Amino acid sequence: MPGRYWMALLLVAAAAGLVLLGITGSLAPSLLITLLPATSTAHTFASLFWGLIIGGILFAILLFLRQYTLLATIVVALHLYVDWYLGLLAMAQVIALLLLLIFFMARSPDYPWTEPRLLWLWLLYLGLGLFPAIQGSRILKDFFFYYPNTIVGALLIFWLGHLVARDIASLRTLFQFLTSFAALLALHTIILGLTGKFLLSSGSVDAYVAQQGNYFSNDIGVNRYGGFFIDPNWNGTFFAMMIFVSFGLLLQSSSWPGKLFYLGTTLIMLPALLFTYSAGALLATGAGILCFIILAGDARYRIQIPFCLLMVTSFAVFIFPDQVGRILQRSSGGNLPLRMGAWETALAVIAANPLTGVGIGLTNYLLRAEPFRVAAQYIPLDHPHESYLEMGAMAGLPFLFVFLLLLTFAVRQALRYWMAADKSTRTLLGGGIAAIVALSVNSLTINAWTLPPIAELGWLILGALSSPLLARYIAPIKSQKDANSLIKTQVQSTKERTVLTQPLSFSAATLKTQTSRQAQRKDEM
């Protein structure tokens, strides 16, 4: 009876909660639009009310099921679509912080807690970025665009990557979810390129893209497609990264269905990359290919990878000859003179403000970089189209130096794991490291490391690759292999000792029995 009573009470409470949720859901959007400030972000939040409620329920279910790698992928997806594309700015960072708190409170031997190495350097990174962020916040949107996302968000997502990659299987699962997500975005871009229809579009973003001339490239005479990243260069950066994560899973998989699936995801991402017509992404892909060949886990892969790339390239040229020809045409010219002018302007800004920069913010840079604009930059720009120069010009050289240190130390740790891993795991790690190399190279031609949705993906992958929790599974692998012969020798010697000691123990027992019998006979006599 008491159990039934509490069950009935729980059902009544759940029913009442659902009724209250329905009433709140019907009234909340209009109330939020009335009460919140008249901004596009506030109206977006109000219109997404039901989506947030349903998402919260799904979040709780996945959390209960401990699907942490899927939750990390959802954080990346929400940051791209809700924060970036719809303009809600920093909801994903709040979820990431919540996940970190849950990891800390629910820590256990199966789900351990860890902290980033060089945490003091991360805190220095946050401190060095705070003053330039305040200095450059001419509008509130610029502050929330940069500091919570690009700076604080880097630490949160990097830390989250540490925690979700608690072993090799978790790292593989995270890469599988990210690859599946990338394949969906690739299909979205291909549909957009072939039909011109943008699925799940936003009216305000459509108006902005139309204002930009639908990113029509005069030098090659076609529209370029940015998808949810809006700008085609950023969309190209994303696919230039994720191709290597997918390719690493392809070579690491031991089953034919798995290999066919990852081959399919790789082949889907390739035409999506071509539809962006991004020369910088093409250059980054080439750098990633070289890195991946070097970091291949097996000598056979160093032969198979160029062969596979030749097949993929032939497939691309045969199926999409127009796109390949136009992207090669654009790589030979395009907006390179304007880009070089933007870089010269940024160097002049850094020379005049080397310590703290002119302030972090697009509007602020547009205004404060104008006195330093060179003739080659024939139009005003709100960023220098290069991540490293952007950090130096907006936040100062110390901030840029600390960023490079954090990036270098994380890649160094990932390479240490790669050196200690077996061949199969090396392929998985090599794909992730090649993705980071592609992102870093592409950041020389576009603001990739400083764009929140791309930077968040990069920090998540890098945090997973360099997780301290992986040391328990990767570091002992090579020493265990080296000790195999010693273990066999020890087992064999143990068997030999057992065989030798059994007759001795039997003889001793027999001798003892004989001695006792002889003693009894003497007593009888």
Side-chain angles (χ1 to χ4, degrees):
M1 288 297 292
R4 292 182 180 180
Y5 171 78
W6 285 111
M7 181 61 68
L9 185 62
L10 181 61
L11 290 175
V12 171
L18 289 175
V19 172
L20 181 61
L21 180 62
I23 296 173
T24 305
S26 61
L27 297 177
S30 59
L31 289 175
L32 288 172
I33 291 175
T34 304
L35 296 175
L36 291 175
T39 62
S40 59
T41 301
H43 281 241
T44 300
F45 181 82
S47 62
L48 289 174
F49 177 80
W50 268 114
L52 296 175
I53 293 295
I54 297 173
I57 296 173
L58 292 176
F59 177 84
I61 293 173
L62 292 175
L63 197 61
F64 177 76
L65 297 175
R66 294 183 179 270
Q67 297 296 317
Y68 296 130
T69 52
L70 179 56
L71 284 170
T73 306
I74 290 174
V75 168
V76 173
L78 286 177
H79 192 52
L80 171 62
Y81 185 72
V82 178
D83 290 347
W84 171 251
Y85 184 73
L86 297 181
L88 208 57
L89 295 180
M91 189 184 75
Q93 310 307 338
V94 176
I95 297 176
L97 180 60
L98 178 61
L99 283 174
L100 291 178
L101 293 175
I102 292 172
F103 266 110
F104 178 75
M105 292 185 294
R107 61 191 183 277
S108 66
D110 292 333
Y111 297 90
W113 171 261
T114 188
E115 297 176 357
R117 300 179 179 90
L118 303 174
L119 186 57
W120 63 270
L121 191 61
W122 276 104
L123 296 178
L124 179 62
Y125 179 69
L126 300 186
L128 289 174
L130 182 59
F131 174 73
I134 297 174
Q135 181 187 16
S137 300
R138 292 180 177 266
I139 58 175
L140 192 60
K141 184 178 180 180
D142 276 353
F143 179 82
F144 283 105
F145 175 81
Y146 269 101
Y147 196 75
N149 288 302
T150 309
I151 301 175
V152 177
L155 174 59
L156 295 179
I157 300 301
F158 183 76
W159 204 331
L160 183 61
H162 274 6
L163 294 170
V164 298
R166 56 191 178 90
D167 52 32
I168 301 301
S170 299
L171 177 65
R172 185 186 305 110
T173 304
L174 175 65
F175 282 4
Q176 288 170 346
F177 281 129
L178 290 175
T179 298
S180 301
F181 172 63
L184 291 176
L185 292 185
L187 284 174
H188 184 274
T189 300
I190 292 172
I191 293 172
L192 177 61
L194 294 177
T195 66
K197 295 181 179 180
F198 196 112
L199 304 178
L200 301 176
S201 63
S202 167
S204 59
V205 178
D206 290 342
Y208 172 79
V209 173
Q211 185 181 1
Q212 301 297 318
N214 293 316
Y215 287 100
F216 182 82
S217 181
N218 293 319
D219 51 346
I220 56 177
V222 294
N223 288 332
R224 304 170 61 212
Y225 301 100
F228 292 117
F229 289 94
I230 303 176
D231 190 295
N233 293 308
W234 299 327
N235 201 22
T237 303
F238 174 79
F239 293 123
M241 292 174 58
M242 293 308 301
I243 279 177
F244 297 105
V245 177
S246 177
F247 203 60
L249 289 169
L250 168 64
L251 295 182
Q252 196 263 348
S253 178
S254 58
S255 65
W256 279 107
K259 287 184 177 295
L260 290 176
F261 175 77
Y262 299 125
L263 177 62
T265 57
T266 305
L267 294 179
I268 288 173
M269 287 185 225
L270 180 62
L273 173 62
L274 295 178
F275 275 115
T276 65
Y277 298 97
S278 174
L282 189 65
L283 175 65
T285 305
I289 289 171
L290 292 176
C291 176
F292 194 66
I293 291 174
I294 295 172
L295 298 180
D298 195 332
R300 295 174 302 170
Y301 295 155
R302 295 187 177 93
I303 301 174
Q304 293 175 1
I305 291 173
F307 178 73
C308 291
L309 290 173
L310 180 62
M311 290 182 59
V312 169
T313 304
S314 302
F315 168 80
V317 173
F318 180 75
I319 302 297
F320 303 98
D322 184 61
Q323 284 78 6
V324 173
R326 291 179 186 274
I327 199 172
L328 291 175
Q329 177 185 348
R330 191 171 187 275
S331 63
S332 61
N335 294 326
L336 184 59
L338 177 61
R339 293 286 177 89
M340 295 184 67
W343 301 340
E344 291 180 25
T345 300
L347 290 173
V349 172
I350 293 173
N353 305 272
L355 295 180
T356 60
V358 295
I360 299 176
L362 299 176
T363 306
N364 179 73
Y365 184 82
L366 182 67
L367 297 174
R368 298 197 60 181
E370 186 63 20
F372 305 96
R373 181 155 65 99
V374 299
Q377 182 189 324
Y378 50 84
I379 57 173
L381 296 173
D382 55 7
H383 61 87
H385 288 267
E386 206 266 21
S387 289
Y388 312 109
L389 291 177
E390 180 176 337
M391 283 185 268
M394 291 187 180
L397 292 178
F399 179 83
L400 173 61
F401 180 69
V402 172
F403 168 83
L404 293 176
L405 282 179
L406 291 171
L407 182 62
T408 302
F409 283 132
V411 172
R412 180 169 170 257
Q413 184 60 43
L415 288 173
R416 283 184 172 182
Y417 287 154
W418 180 88
M419 293 178 65
D422 61 350
K423 293 179 180 180
S424 177
T425 307
R426 278 187 174 186
T427 305
L428 187 68
L429 296 174
I433 296 172
I436 298 301
V437 169
L439 171 59
S440 301
V441 171
N442 209 345
S443 295
L444 294 169
T445 64
I446 195 65
N447 55 331
W449 267 119
T450 48
L451 188 81
I454 294 179
E456 181 169 284
L457 175 64
W459 284 118
L460 178 64
I461 293 175
L462 194 54
L465 291 172
S466 61
S467 172
L469 301 178
L470 292 180
R472 303 178 300 167
Y473 301 93
I474 293 183
I477 289 177
K478 182 168 282 190
S479 59
Q480 183 69 25
K481 284 188 168 185
D482 294 339
N484 279 342
S485 58
L486 179 61
I487 292 173
K488 291 180 180 178
T489 303
Q490 291 175 346
V491 171
Q492 187 173 0
S493 62
T494 303
K495 291 180 179 178
E496 291 174 355
R497 285 197 302 268
T498 303
V499 172
L500 290 174
T501 54
Q502 283 178 352
L504 289 174
S505 60
F506 175 77
S507 300
T510 305
L511 181 61
K512 185 177 180 179
T513 304
Q514 292 175 353
T515 305
S516 62
R517 287 178 180 177
Q518 290 176 0
Q520 288 178 359
R521 289 173 184 174
K522 288 180 181 180
D523 292 338
E524 291 175 356
M525 292 175 63

